[in-house]
């Protein structure tokens, strides 16, 4: 069963990664490229056309490094984006398949399309919406707190919100009451940057960046929602096939 789950996670991860890459190419990447045109280098002697390294995962923010490598725009950038999305898809799917399979075996999850979509929505709330309430997705040129602090906060928020949602939905009795505090604890402290979001000296550039920032939040939100809905559906399909195959093998092993 474990081998089948791993193989399913890899196959689903490839589909999710390619789908996410296609959606990002249409709705997210153009916004990032537009925002990069307004970036101001920290080095006054740096070339205006130089490349900066960006980390544009849903909540991780970004940082700049003069010596950092970045893929060239076009096919190379698309390729590395696809590879990154595929690995992320495999990782998330592996966790999702294991959790959903355990719930199925305990009779807490029916393998239906509706339940798959529900699981996808819950994952979307935990992995994207909850962290975005504290640290919205950022575009190039946006000021942000220390990267390590944001990453640790993002990870802690995802874990606590996921556990909190799980308790609210699956727990019984007094244990269910522990779910709500877990949803609120991450926002007691958020590593937010103090000061203006954009430091570009051109007021018109700041206005343009602010508009791009709002567009980026919406685009990221929609692509992540589609990602998780598709993930929930594909995981249900995979688990249903594994269940049917296991049942068929059991029947074959019964002596006639």
């Amino acid at each position: 069963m474990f081998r089948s789950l791993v193989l399913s996670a890899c196959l689903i991860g490839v589909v999710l990664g390619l789908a996410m890459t296609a959606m990002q190419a249409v709705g997210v990447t153009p916004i990032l490229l537009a925002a990069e045109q307004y970036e101001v280098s920290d080095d006054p002697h740096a070339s205006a056309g130089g490349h900066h390294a960006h980390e544009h995962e849903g909540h991780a923010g970004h940082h700049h490094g003069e010596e950092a490598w970045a893929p060239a725009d076009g096919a190379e950038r698309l390729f590395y984006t696809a590879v990154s999305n595929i690995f992320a898809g495999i990782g998330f799917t592996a966790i999702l398949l294991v959790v959903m399979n355990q719930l199925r075996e305990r009779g807490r999850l029916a393998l239906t399309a509706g339940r798959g979509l529900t699981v996808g929505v819950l994952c979307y709330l935990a992995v994207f919406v909850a962290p975005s309430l504290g640290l919205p997705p950022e575009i190039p040129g946006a000021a942000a707190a220390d990267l390590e602090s944001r990453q640790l906060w993002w990870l802690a928020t995802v874990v606590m919100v996921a556990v909190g949602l799980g308790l609210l939905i699956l727990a019984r009795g007094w244990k269910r009451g522990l779910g709500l505090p877990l949803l609120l604890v991450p926002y007691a402290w958020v590593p937010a940057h103090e000061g203006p979001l954009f430091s570009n000296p051109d007021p018109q550039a700041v206005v343009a960046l602010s508009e791009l920032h709002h567009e980026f939040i919406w685009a990221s939100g929609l692509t992540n929602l589609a990602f998780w809905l598709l993930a929930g559906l594909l995981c249900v399909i995979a688990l249903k096939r594994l269940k049917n195959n296991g049942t068929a093998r059991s029947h074959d092993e019964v002596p006639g």
Side-chain angles (χ1 to χ4, degrees):
M1 184 64 174
F2 176 77
R3 181 179 179 182
S4 298
L5 289 176
V6 171
L7 179 59
S8 297
C10 292
L11 294 176
I12 294 174
V14 171
V15 174
L16 290 175
L18 294 178
M20 187 66 165
T21 301
M23 291 185 290
Q24 288 177 333
V26 174
V28 176
T29 302
I31 299 175
L32 294 177
L33 294 177
E36 287 178 353
Q37 305 305 314
Y38 295 98
E39 281 191 290
V40 178
S41 175
D42 294 332
D43 182 2
H45 301 290
S47 173
H51 292 287
H52 299 276
H54 296 293
E55 218 178 307
H56 293 299
E57 297 300 328
H59 321 282
H62 66 276
H63 71 283
H64 307 286
E66 184 180 352
E67 302 300 328
W69 174 87
D73 293 339
E76 184 177 350
R77 183 168 185 165
L78 184 65
F79 170 77
Y80 283 103
T81 298
V83 171
S84 176
N85 286 336
I86 288 173
F87 279 113
I90 292 174
F92 282 127
T93 302
I95 297 173
L96 200 54
L97 282 174
V98 171
V99 173
M100 292 176 68
N101 187 56
Q102 289 295 315
L103 292 175
R104 178 194 66 80
E105 292 181 346
R106 298 180 183 182
R108 304 299 299 273
L109 179 67
L111 298 179
T112 63
R115 292 300 177 88
L117 291 174
T118 300
V119 170
V121 170
L122 293 174
C123 291
Y124 173 66
L125 293 175
V127 178
F128 182 83
V129 175
S132 294
L133 294 177
L135 295 175
E138 300 161 4
I139 61 174
D146 178 68
L147 178 62
E148 183 177 353
S149 298
R150 285 180 286 142
Q151 290 177 330
L152 291 175
W153 182 88
W154 183 90
L155 180 60
T157 299
V158 170
V159 172
M160 285 189 283
V161 171
V163 174
L165 290 174
L167 289 174
L168 288 174
I169 296 172
L170 300 173
R172 297 171 181 172
W174 63 271
K175 294 181 180 179
R176 179 174 292 181
L178 299 177
L180 185 58
L182 286 175
L183 299 181
L184 301 177
V185 165
Y187 306 104
W189 177 79
V190 179
H193 172 77
E194 296 183 0
L197 182 60
F198 301 107
S199 57
N200 195 298
D202 185 357
Q204 293 183 350
V206 173
V207 173
L209 286 169
S210 298
E211 293 178 355
L212 290 171
H213 184 228
H214 291 122
E215 293 177 10
F216 182 64
I217 292 175
W218 279 102
S220 298
L222 292 175
T223 53
N224 275 272
L225 176 59
F227 173 91
W228 284 111
L229 291 177
L230 182 59
L233 282 175
L234 293 178
C235 285
V236 163
I237 294 173
L239 289 174
K240 186 177 294 187
R241 287 178 62 87
L242 292 177
K243 178 184 176 183
N244 293 338
N245 290 339
T247 302
R249 283 194 294 269
S250 298
H251 288 167
D252 292 339
E253 293 172 359
V254 175

